[in-house]
């Protein structure tokens, strides 16, 4: 079982719709969760971080965390063509200087006109 | 926001040469930096964790004598690909963890595309 799992997609949504991206993780003691956006040929860009169960909203983005189900999701409201990218879920394991991020393989999102 | 730079952004070299890539945190201190490699259409793969003033910690399967890492200051880590071969051609990305940031957020540099002929 992979440590962080994502559906590779592509996930295709029409412009203006809500895109829902999902991620599950295997390490129960993970405490920090991140969503990164990566455009083709570019490095990842941090979009959201979440640490507590529930929802966290930032503009058009909402991250949802359910530690009991080991599940984290990202909702993108009013999707725009510029949102088309690969979205990487990352989970932080370990403590102190030994902590590091484990990435999922990413979900490719396509927002169509 | 936190900014991480990488230099060079792109490098083409001949097989057998060594290539050095620099990673700098511009507006924050980073005791810990990370080096990733990404092949086309694949996910990020962590190569090593770089700690200021101590030896890097390499992931399983990464040759420490081939990928030399130096983290001599709180804002600079370097990765040297020694005796590069075509199979080392990849997108190398560093990230830096803000020492004073909340929950150890990592920020990525723009990446270095290495092509070995």
């Amino acid at each position: 079982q992979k440590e962080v799992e994502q559906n590779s997609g592509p996930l295709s949504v029409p412009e203006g719709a809500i895109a829902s991206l999902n991620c599950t993780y295997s390490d129960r003691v993970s405490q920090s969760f991140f969503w990164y956006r990566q455009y083709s040929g570019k490095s990842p860009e941090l979009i959201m971080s979440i640490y507590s169960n529930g929802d966290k909203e930032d503009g058009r983005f909402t991250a949802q965390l359910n530690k009991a189900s080991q599940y984290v999701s990202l909702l993108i409201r009013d999707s725009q063509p510029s949102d088309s990218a690969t979205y990487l879920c990352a989970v932080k394991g370990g403590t102190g200087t030994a902590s590091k991020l484990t990435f999922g393989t990413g979900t490719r999102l396509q927002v169509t006109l | 926001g936190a900014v991480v730079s990488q230099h060079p952004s792109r490098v083409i070299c001949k097989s057998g040469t060594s290539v050095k890539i620099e990673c700098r945190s511009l507006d924050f201190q980073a005791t810990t930096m990370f080096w990733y490699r990404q092949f086309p259409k694949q996910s990020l793969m962590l190569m090593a964790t770089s700690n200021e003033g101590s030896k890097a910690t390499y992931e399983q399967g990464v040759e420490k004598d081939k990928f030399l890492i130096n983290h001599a200051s709180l804002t600079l880590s370097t990765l040297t690909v020694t005796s590069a071969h075509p199979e080392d051609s990849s997108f190398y990305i560093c990230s830096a963890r803000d020492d004073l940031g909340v929950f150890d957020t990592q920020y990525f540099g723009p990446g270095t595309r290495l092509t070995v002929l």
Side-chain angles (χ1 to χ4, degrees):
Chain A
Q1 181 187 7
K2 291 181 182 177
E3 294 181 53
V4 180
E5 292 209 46
Q6 294 181 255
N7 188 319
S8 62
L11 172 65
S12 184
V13 299
E15 184 178 7
I18 296 175
S20 177
L21 304 162
N22 305 314
C23 172
T24 58
Y25 59 95
S26 61
D27 188 352
R28 281 195 169 275
V29 301
S30 300
Q31 294 296 318
S32 306
F33 307 87
F34 305 85
W35 282 100
Y36 287 84
R37 176 176 62 197
Q38 187 176 23
Y39 292 111
S40 180
K42 303 293 184 182
S43 69
E45 172 192 10
L46 180 67
I47 297 177
M48 293 280 290
S49 56
I50 187 166
Y51 318 105
S52 304
N53 279 326
D55 295 358
K56 179 183 177 183
E57 187 174 319
D58 183 1
R60 296 187 295 112
F61 299 99
T62 299
Q64 299 174 317
L65 175 61
N66 183 325
K67 291 185 179 180
S69 301
Q70 296 174 238
Y71 174 92
V72 58
S73 66
L74 179 70
L75 300 178
I76 306 174
R77 289 181 299 281
D78 188 23
S79 296
Q80 302 296 308
S82 60
D83 294 327
S84 298
T86 296
Y87 290 80
L88 302 169
C89 171
V91 176
K92 192 182 86 139
T95 57
T97 56
S99 67
K100 59 184 181 182
L101 292 179
T102 299
F103 285 87
T105 53
T107 298
R108 189 157 63 92
L109 172 66
Q110 292 178 338
V111 181
T112 57
L113 296 173
Chain B
V3 179
V4 176
S5 70
Q6 258 183 265
H7 179 80
S9 59
R10 185 181 295 269
V11 59
I12 300 173
C13 68
K14 293 181 179 179
S15 183
T17 60
S18 294
V19 175
K20 179 186 281 189
I21 303 170
E22 290 187 351
C23 178
R24 293 181 185 272
S25 56
L26 297 185
D27 50 1
F28 63 97
Q29 291 185 335
T31 300
T32 305
M33 294 185 178
F34 303 87
W35 287 97
Y36 295 85
R37 182 167 54 181
Q38 187 175 36
F39 292 106
K41 300 188 185 303
Q42 294 187 23
S43 186
L44 289 167
M45 294 301 296
L46 178 65
M47 298 175 67
T49 301
S50 170
N51 296 301
E52 186 268 338
S54 63
K55 290 182 180 180
T57 303
Y58 290 82
E59 296 299 300
Q60 191 174 8
V62 178
E63 298 174 59
K64 62 180 182 180
D65 294 329
K66 181 171 181 62
F67 298 99
L68 301 178
I69 292 172
N70 183 278
H71 194 154
S73 77
L74 289 173
T75 60
L76 173 64
S77 176
T78 60
L79 168 69
T80 301
V81 183
T82 62
S83 186
H85 291 285
E87 58 265 30
D88 298 322
S89 299
S90 187
F91 191 39
Y92 292 85
I93 311 172
C94 74
S95 73
R97 185 163 64 201
D98 187 347
D99 285 351
L100 300 180
V102 178
F103 296 108
D104 300 335
T105 302
Q106 284 181 222
Y107 299 93
F108 283 85
T112 297
R113 192 162 301 282
L114 170 64
T115 303
V116 184
L117 302 176

